[in-house]
Amino acid sequence: MPFPIIYKRTALASMISTILYQPLVYAEQGTTNNATGESAEEVQTMTVLGQAYRNTATKTSLDVYETPQAISVIDAEMLEQRDVSSVAEALRYVPGVNTELRGGAVTRLDLFNIRGFDNYQNFYDGLPLMYNGWNLQPQIDPVMLEQIEVFKGPTSVLYGSTPPGGMVNMIAKSPQREAKHGISVKTGSYQRKELMFDSTGQIAQSNLAYRVVGLVRQKEGQADTSEEERWVFAPSLDWQMSDSTLLNVNMYYQNDPSAGIYTTVPAAGSVKPHPMGNLSPSTFLGDENWNTYEREVLLLGYKLLHDLNDNWQFLQNTRYMDASAYQENMYNNPAGLALDQSTIGRHAYLTDETSNSLAIDNQLSGRIAVGEMEHHLLLGIDYQALSSDVIYKDTSDGYSLMVDVFQPNHQAIDRDSLTFNYGSDVKLETRQLGFYAQDQMRFNQWVVIAGVRYDKFTSETKANSVYSGNASSSRDKVDQDNLSFRVGGLYEFNNGFAPYISYAESFEPVSGIDKAGSGFDPTTGHQWEAGLKYSDESLAHTANLAVFHITKEDSLVSDPNNIYGPKMQSGEIVSKGVEFESQHELTDNLGIALNYTWIDMEITKDTTGLQGKTPVWVPEQTASLWANYQFYQGALSGTQIGTGLRYVGETQMDSMNTDTVPSYTLVDLTLSYDLANVSTSLAGAKASLAATNLLNKEYYSCYDQANCWFGEERSVEASVSLTF
């Protein structure tokens, strides 16, 4: 390439590498930090993320520290150290994020909220993992990730339809020219058995570099009778076609033959006391004869990066998805326990889903100097298309399938005798076309960013249904457009402080029509954010303080004069709060990361009694502390100890705020030992131990009184890895 892609280290990336006391594969220059061996004075060239990498906050190769909006980064070393098995687990220590909303036994989807707003669709290498709104959510296993970036607040100017709270972008591992190979085996709680391999390097003396990542995992689930199994195979290839052109071709294949459970337990006996006793965190109120979730996902993509000249560059990022999921499951009567206060009624249902999608993002970026002002320009056109078919069947028989919640019979159902009184065949087609422009300007110590985007969104949903022998059909079309803006400014003082302020907008399409027969407008969101970033010259101390105010407008609400009729578009939700994130290298051996979040979220406009209420799953306060200590000398040389504390405040039990779910504090622990300290012949070998919820604290989450989940029980995993 005519010019390298240059990065300064981000605040959080600096902290992570400081805590781990090993570099993130930077090309090192200048003087080095004693704890990390990394340059503290020079701008460094990052190769581990690949030449086609673009940071989530700006879709450019510019430093995210210069972005006037909050963003958190979790790198591969931290993912490995904390032994995470899902993206939701990886986000446990990120401020502003409340994760694992459906408890510890439900692992088939990555569900979390950011600044109070639920997020069902993640991004992978800058492109959305298209979600059909039912049960087919593609998951990316962390084994394939180089890092995870959490961009807080509205992001529609760059990515189109997204919730106002923010987004998560997962950065894939990329081919490296330097040969490196690794293999690990793992065992632990729930009879876990796991094998992982990762190999990369240049192919002979050619202009090709490859990477192959694979995983096999089997374990029992937390809920009684449940099992989890996953197979991952992800090869990728870099072809340096010329000095100015790079082509990356990549594939991700994942097969989940079994993905645990999705059922719930009532609040009585779990969160709330019950005369007959307490339920166990392993309680399963489904049936072994009717509990299946199988998912298969294939992603095929490429990135084409071409330097037009020394200042302008073109990137095309494309991915095709072919995915399917089959589910057999049960759900509880929303009325809760029956009159006997020990049984609950259930419906059995199934879904058979397929999705095909295409996402393509074309980016033209360049640098222009006008006087003393430098402009980093970005022009883009992206397109997303999804086609999904869903077959749904439900017994819909008045919740006649009873179960004793305190003594459940897991083999009570004869699957051949089930009668499905309701069935539907749903076909969904969505299209989104977006045009965007951004200018990131630098003038002396000022950084100003401004962006605008226009989106055209269309969808069509056709449903053919049968209920008790009566057939019906429906057709719903959405044709909406939206204009989004973003502007912000940051000033970098010489003492390391950088105050900033920003404004950003988001939108989400809304289906349906009002009582006049007119289609709805998109739901929109806007945020004001002010903050203060800090980084000292040695990068030993970094921090970010953000204050935000998000308003989501035009949500659908019921018509108070006809609650069963067409909806009205007059709802509003406000989320305001404070986030604090800091990292400190206290000594050459000890590093800590401290995070805190306070959120005040309220439904400010509604027609059905929810005005003034707080949505479920939104704790007012969360906090976390992670400390890492590395031994360099003595008998414990080569040992690394990490300890984490996670606090999640109380949340509302249901939408009407009739009760609360208690707060909880959890302890996590990691240990690792470099086996080269035993013998030089073991160079590259490492033994590790990771425990989550070390004290086995019982905790919960709830959607309403009839639907609650137990949090993850204590889990201990041991592994041995070899890198060569």
Side-chain angles (χ1 to χ4, degrees):
M1 294 292 184
F3 58 91
I5 296 177
I6 301 296
Y7 297 78
K8 297 178 184 176
R9 293 177 58 201
T10 68
L12 187 55
S14 302
M15 174 278 296
I16 292 172
S17 58
T18 297
I19 288 179
L20 294 174
Y21 298 101
Q22 50 188 309
L24 279 172
V25 197
Y26 285 94
E28 306 200 19
Q29 307 172 27
T31 59
T32 60
N33 178 290
N34 290 333
T36 65
E38 297 174 341
S39 170
E41 297 180 356
E42 301 287 342
V43 175
Q44 302 164 329
T45 303
M46 183 183 291
T47 59
V48 68
L49 295 176
Q51 296 183 68
Y53 166 76
R54 297 291 182 267
N55 77 64
T56 304
T58 62
K59 278 192 179 180
T60 70
S61 55
L62 301 176
D63 182 10
V64 295
Y65 179 75
E66 298 179 349
T67 302
Q69 208 164 326
I71 183 170
S72 299
V73 181
I74 313 164
D75 87 323
E77 295 290 347
M78 189 58 71
L79 294 173
E80 179 183 0
Q81 184 191 43
R82 294 178 183 170
D83 190 41
V84 301
S85 299
S86 69
V87 172
E89 290 181 14
L91 300 177
R92 289 168 170 168
Y93 286 87
V94 176
V97 179
N98 186 31
T99 185
E100 296 162 292
L101 305 182
R102 295 182 187 267
V106 178
T107 60
R108 66 180 62 172
L109 79 166
D110 293 315
L111 177 59
F112 46 85
N113 59 42
I114 306 175
R115 294 184 171 176
F117 295 95
D118 295 344
N119 192 316
Y120 284 87
Q121 179 172 278
N122 296 323
F123 285 70
Y124 181 48
D125 266 357
L127 296 175
L129 293 168
M130 304 292 284
Y131 173 53
N132 69 351
W134 284 72
N135 302 280
L136 182 46
Q137 183 205 57
Q139 274 185 306
I140 301 295
D141 196 277
V143 72
M144 186 52 196
L145 300 183
E146 196 61 56
Q147 69 182 34
I148 300 174
E149 301 178 355
V150 185
F151 189 19
K152 315 290 182 60
T155 60
S156 288
V157 164
L158 292 178
Y159 297 96
S161 172
T162 54
M167 59 171 285
V168 171
N169 186 22
M170 298 168 282
I171 309 301
K173 293 178 177 178
S174 62
Q176 307 293 304
R177 298 187 71 83
E178 180 180 353
K180 186 176 182 180
H181 317 284
I183 187 170
S184 70
V185 293
K186 184 178 297 183
T187 187
S189 301
Y190 305 110
Q191 300 186 23
R192 178 170 177 162
K193 300 181 288 291
E194 180 176 313
L195 171 67
M196 188 278 290
F197 66 87
D198 183 354
S199 178
T200 188
Q202 183 179 5
I203 300 176
Q205 300 301 314
S206 70
N207 53 2
L208 300 173
Y210 78 94
R211 189 153 197 168
V212 181
V213 179
L215 169 76
V216 180
R217 179 190 300 133
Q218 293 179 325
K219 63 188 289 287
E220 295 180 353
Q222 177 173 309
D224 294 335
T225 78
S226 64
E227 297 178 346
E228 298 177 20
E229 182 178 353
R230 172 166 292 175
W231 298 72
V232 173
F233 180 64
S236 58
L237 182 72
D238 272 0
W239 177 20
Q240 193 72 54
M241 303 173 67
S242 68
D243 290 341
S244 59
T245 305
L246 172 71
L247 176 65
N248 170 269
V249 181
N250 54 82
M251 183 186 93
Y252 181 90
Y253 172 76
Q254 180 174 303
N255 184 13
D256 297 327
S258 181
I261 64 123
Y262 201 57
T263 52
T264 63
V265 297
S270 57
V271 184
K272 303 169 69 173
H274 192 282
M276 298 186 66
N278 297 322
L279 300 175
S280 164
S282 64
T283 299
F284 174 48
L285 298 186
D287 196 286
E288 191 174 5
N289 296 329
W290 193 257
N291 181 65
T292 298
Y293 186 82
E294 305 167 359
R295 176 177 53 198
E296 195 170 11
V297 177
L298 174 65
L299 306 175
L300 299 172
Y302 72 85
K303 301 174 190 175
L304 179 64
L305 180 65
H306 179 68
D307 294 331
L308 302 174
N309 54 43
D310 288 349
N311 294 311
W312 287 89
Q313 197 173 63
F314 173 76
L315 172 65
Q316 184 176 79
N317 190 8
T318 305
R319 183 168 61 238
Y320 169 79
M321 182 187 77
D322 184 1
S324 62
Y326 177 76
Q327 173 183 218
E328 296 174 351
N329 200 3
M330 310 187 79
Y331 63 93
N332 296 340
N333 187 337
L337 293 175
L339 294 178
D340 60 13
Q341 291 299 299
S342 65
T343 60
I344 194 168
R346 304 166 297 173
H347 280 172
Y349 72 95
L350 69 81
T351 63
D352 191 355
E353 309 172 44
T354 61
S355 288
N356 299 98
S357 71
L358 176 68
I360 181 168
D361 189 7
N362 301 284
Q363 304 172 19
L364 178 65
S365 58
R367 299 178 296 203
I368 298 176
V370 180
E372 296 183 2
M373 181 174 290
E374 184 178 276
H375 296 261
H376 294 263
L377 300 175
L378 173 68
L379 302 173
I381 302 175
D382 62 24
Y383 175 75
Q384 304 166 21
L386 170 69
S387 296
S388 185
D389 291 345
V390 180
I391 295 175
Y392 178 78
K393 295 181 180 181
D394 193 310
T395 52
S396 291
D397 58 357
Y399 301 98
S400 65
L401 301 171
M402 306 298 294
V403 64
D404 188 327
V405 299
F406 297 98
Q407 294 180 327
N409 180 356
H410 297 137
Q411 295 184 331
I413 289 180
D414 178 4
R415 58 183 296 117
D416 295 328
S417 66
L418 289 175
T419 299
F420 296 99
N421 296 302
Y422 176 80
S424 65
D425 185 355
V426 180
K427 298 186 183 300
L428 170 67
E429 302 277 345
T430 68
R431 303 287 185 269
Q432 179 176 296
L433 177 64
F435 303 86
Y436 58 91
Q438 176 182 270
D439 186 4
Q440 188 167 5
M441 297 158 276
R442 170 174 280 281
F443 177 74
N444 295 328
Q445 292 167 284
W446 284 98
V447 178
V448 177
I449 189 169
V452 62
R453 177 185 174 111
Y454 171 78
D455 279 284
K456 179 69 172 179
F457 179 89
T458 61
S459 73
E460 183 176 24
T461 303
K462 299 178 182 178
N464 295 310
S465 305
V466 177
Y467 180 63
S468 297
N470 298 314
S472 63
S473 62
S474 63
R475 184 179 182 183
D476 182 27
K477 283 189 173 184
V478 176
D479 188 346
Q480 298 171 353
D481 54 14
N482 188 78
L483 193 63
S484 305
F485 296 94
R486 174 192 183 192
V487 64
L490 176 147
Y491 185 84
E492 296 177 326
F493 286 100
N494 294 328
N495 59 6
F497 286 96
Y500 69 88
I501 187 169
S502 65
Y503 171 83
E505 297 180 340
S506 68
F507 85 96
E508 297 171 273
V510 177
S511 62
I513 57 174
D514 60 20
K515 60 184 179 182
S518 301
F520 293 117
D521 295 325
T523 294
T524 59
H526 61 267
Q527 172 189 267
W528 284 98
E529 177 176 326
L532 180 66
K533 301 186 180 187
Y534 174 76
S535 176
D536 65 2
E537 291 185 1
S538 68
L539 300 177
H541 303 277
T542 61
N544 187 71
L545 176 66
V547 180
F548 62 88
H549 188 289
I550 303 174
T551 302
K552 181 179 179 179
E553 299 175 313
D554 294 332
S555 299
L556 296 185
V557 296
S558 297
D559 185 340
N561 298 317
N562 182 12
I563 61 174
Y564 301 107
K567 299 288 187 180
M568 300 171 59
Q569 195 168 23
S570 59
E572 181 182 88
I573 304 174
V574 171
S575 175
K576 53 187 176 182
V578 179
E579 290 174 0
F580 176 72
E581 182 173 21
S582 69
Q583 305 84 34
H584 306 279
E585 182 185 344
L586 301 180
T587 69
D588 288 347
N589 304 82
L590 176 64
I592 65 170
L594 177 65
N595 302 315
Y596 172 78
T597 305
W598 173 81
I599 293 179
D600 179 14
M601 192 172 192
E602 181 182 347
I603 299 173
T604 51
K605 293 182 181 179
D606 187 74
T607 59
T608 58
L610 295 179
Q611 186 167 325
K613 308 298 184 183
T614 297
V616 298
W617 293 337
V618 181
E620 184 179 59
Q621 297 186 76
T622 59
S624 65
L625 170 67
W626 185 269
N628 199 83
Y629 193 89
Q630 176 78 54
F631 293 89
Y632 293 109
Q633 297 177 341
L636 294 178
S637 178
T639 302
Q640 185 175 239
I641 302 175
T643 304
L645 293 174
R646 293 181 276 140
Y647 169 80
V648 177
E650 69 177 20
T651 57
Q652 296 300 321
M653 176 81 69
D654 52 34
S655 61
M656 295 301 296
N657 296 181
T658 61
D659 207 340
T660 59
V661 180
S663 62
Y664 56 88
T665 301
L666 306 177
V667 179
D668 302 321
L669 177 69
T670 64
L671 296 170
S672 67
Y673 182 69
D674 185 350
L675 296 176
N677 289 275
V678 176
S679 170
T680 56
S681 63
L682 296 176
K686 182 175 69 173
S688 303
L689 184 72
T692 57
N693 192 7
L694 180 66
L695 303 182
N696 206 26
K697 169 73 174 179
E698 191 170 295
Y699 63 104
Y700 326 90
S701 64
C702 290
Y703 183 78
D704 55 33
Q705 299 275 354
N707 295 284
C708 295
W709 299 265
F710 284 96
E712 183 182 17
E713 295 182 289
R714 176 172 52 221
S715 177
V716 181
E717 319 291 349
S719 65
V720 177
S721 61
L722 176 64
T723 301
F724 56 96

